[in-house]
Amino acid sequence: AEEGGMSELAWQIGEAALAYARVVTLAPNHLDARLLLASLHQQLGRPNKALEVLSGKSRVIDYKMRIML
């Protein structure tokens, strides 16, 4: 049950990351959205993606493809 719970949590974090990625795409200067998206990537074990988000070098397509994997 615990393993399934972690899987559900990872899915929810991934969904949240997708939503914040959309916000960052629509409002690239939205600092709070960038910080939260970077934090979500950290939680998903993607520190490099977190740095890309903070530096402004990533794209939503990248988020969507990598989060869904």
Side-chain angles (χ1 to χ4, degrees):
E2 193 171 308
E3 197 172 309
M6 288 304 293
S7 168
E8 174 70 17
L9 178 59
W11 181 84
Q12 290 176 349
I13 293 171
E15 287 294 304
L18 283 173
Y20 278 105
R22 289 184 202 108
V23 173
V24 169
T25 298
L26 295 171
N29 295 326
H30 195 298
L31 181 58
D32 287 337
R34 279 193 183 277
L35 291 172
L36 288 166
L37 180 56
S39 175
L40 292 168
H41 277 301
Q42 278 290 119
Q43 292 176 52
L44 290 168
R46 300 179 178 134
N48 291 338
K49 290 301 291 177
L51 289 173
E52 287 178 19
V53 168
L54 293 176
S55 67
K57 294 181 181 177
S58 57
R59 298 183 197 171
V60 169
I61 292 293
D62 292 333
Y63 300 138
K64 193 168 195 172
M65 290 176 69
R66 293 178 195 263
I67 289 170
M68 299 314 245
L69 293 177

